[in-house]
Amino acid sequence: MEIGGIEALRAWRARQSGTVALVPTMGALHSGHRALMDRARESADHLVVSLFVNPLQFGPGEDFTRYPRPIEADLAMCEDAGAEFVFAPALIEMYPAAPEVTVSSGRMGAIFEGADRPGHFDGVLTVVTKLFHLTRPHVAVFGLKDIQQFSLVRRLITDLDFDIELIGLPVVRDRDGLAVSSRNDYLTPGERLAALAIPRALDAGESALTDGGLPEDVLAAARAALDGDLDVHYLALVEAATLQPVREQFRGSALLLIAATVGTTRLIDNRPLEF
């Protein structure tokens, strides 16, 4: 396994004749990332994993400086998963100066997470674009826990004509039902118990739909399950294709979205639903 920055990646990429899969990460790897790597390894001849904490997607007061960076453990997981190159550039290498030209996430990036975190998705799409240009992957694998991010990357690939197959992997959960996340490490035992209201709310919404409920019934059931010490930022039922609120007689694929802060930790989760 090779590890390096931009020039090393370009040299490695120039030597590859088969297909390449990319798993972009900010490090602090967990079982969800491992699942992404395993899926990517099945989808191409070569696997590249990026480890880069991207400052452009952090807003004022967010956790950029304290974001965990366990590089040795991350590299061990990458090697065990069969990664052939780990792209781990220095900050100054990716951004020698504040970028003048960035990628706009548009209307889809201004709602939900984007409304609470202005500029977040512009930062995400800017670094993903750089990663795509540097890696030139045939396949990119993202997790569906960050469903708004996945939707925007899909539009990025379509709107900017990247010749990349995008694969979304379903949410990976711990035994207690909480979606795995690097930020779960910030939770105290009591906060983790409180956070379990999030998957319970998703289950309640899905059960309401199974029982023949309308969109308003799904939302009401999910809202009723959001008990405990949670600061709920949004709870929404949206069309999967557009992220716009579902209509009363909607038929098709939808997403039940939740974002909440527990203690000082912001968590997001979602559940796909079929009406």
Side-chain angles (χ1 to χ4, degrees):
M1 184 178 75
E2 296 185 44
I3 307 161
I6 290 176
E7 291 308 314
L9 173 61
R10 285 174 170 156
W12 176 87
R13 185 64 181 86
R15 300 195 300 269
Q16 309 314 312
S17 57
T19 55
V20 172
L22 170 66
V23 176
T25 84
M26 293 206 301
L29 304 179
H30 49 63
S31 58
H33 294 111
R34 177 56 192 260
L36 298 178
M37 293 183 219
D38 290 343
R39 181 68 176 83
R41 197 70 187 86
E42 295 170 355
S43 305
D45 300 317
H46 309 285
L47 169 61
V48 177
V49 179
S50 66
L51 303 177
F52 179 66
V53 184
N54 175 40
L56 296 191
Q57 65 194 73
F58 289 80
E62 293 189 338
D63 56 354
F64 174 71
T65 56
R66 72 178 184 126
Y67 195 86
R69 295 165 171 84
I71 185 64
E72 294 303 323
D74 288 349
L75 291 176
M77 180 180 289
C78 291
E79 185 163 28
D80 188 62
E84 295 181 38
F85 194 94
V86 174
F87 181 51
L91 177 60
I92 192 66
E93 189 176 15
M94 288 293 277
Y95 302 113
E100 293 287 342
V101 178
T102 58
V103 178
S104 170
S105 57
R107 176 195 57 78
M108 285 180 67
I111 56 179
F112 300 119
E113 288 299 290
D116 287 351
R117 307 171 67 190
H120 169 69
F121 287 118
D122 292 355
V124 169
L125 295 186
T126 296
V127 78
V128 168
T129 299
K130 289 169 73 73
L131 292 172
F132 283 172
H133 281 308
L134 291 166
T135 308
R136 292 182 286 122
H138 301 85
V139 177
V141 184
F142 286 75
L144 295 180
K145 179 174 73 71
D146 299 327
I147 190 65
Q148 188 173 4
Q149 172 181 276
F150 180 85
S151 299
L152 283 161
V153 171
R154 182 170 56 201
R155 286 304 303 260
L156 174 78
I157 288 172
T158 299
D159 291 349
L160 298 188
D161 299 309
F162 283 103
D163 187 16
I164 297 172
E165 178 188 359
L166 180 64
I167 295 175
L169 204 68
V171 178
V172 177
R173 300 186 180 279
D174 284 330
R175 286 187 174 184
D176 59 7
L178 193 65
V180 297
S181 169
S182 303
R183 289 188 168 94
N184 290 352
D185 291 343
Y186 300 154
L187 299 172
T188 66
E191 288 169 349
R192 187 176 180 103
L193 284 175
L196 296 181
I198 295 174
R200 283 200 302 269
L202 297 175
D203 290 343
E206 185 173 28
S207 293
L209 175 60
T210 302
D211 292 340
L214 297 172
E216 58 265 32
D217 302 315
V218 171
L219 280 171
R223 189 175 296 110
L226 281 174
D227 54 0
D229 298 323
L230 298 178
D231 178 11
V232 179
H233 300 284
Y234 57 78
L235 169 64
L237 185 62
V238 301
E239 297 183 19
T242 65
L243 302 185
Q244 293 300 300
V246 299
R247 302 174 303 278
E248 183 177 351
Q249 300 301 322
F250 174 76
R251 291 292 179 271
S253 299
L255 295 165
L256 183 58
L257 308 176
I258 297 176
T261 293
V262 186
T264 61
T265 304
R266 183 188 181 97
L267 301 174
I268 60 174
D269 207 341
N270 70 85
R271 180 68 52 83
L273 300 173
E274 289 292 330
F275 280 84

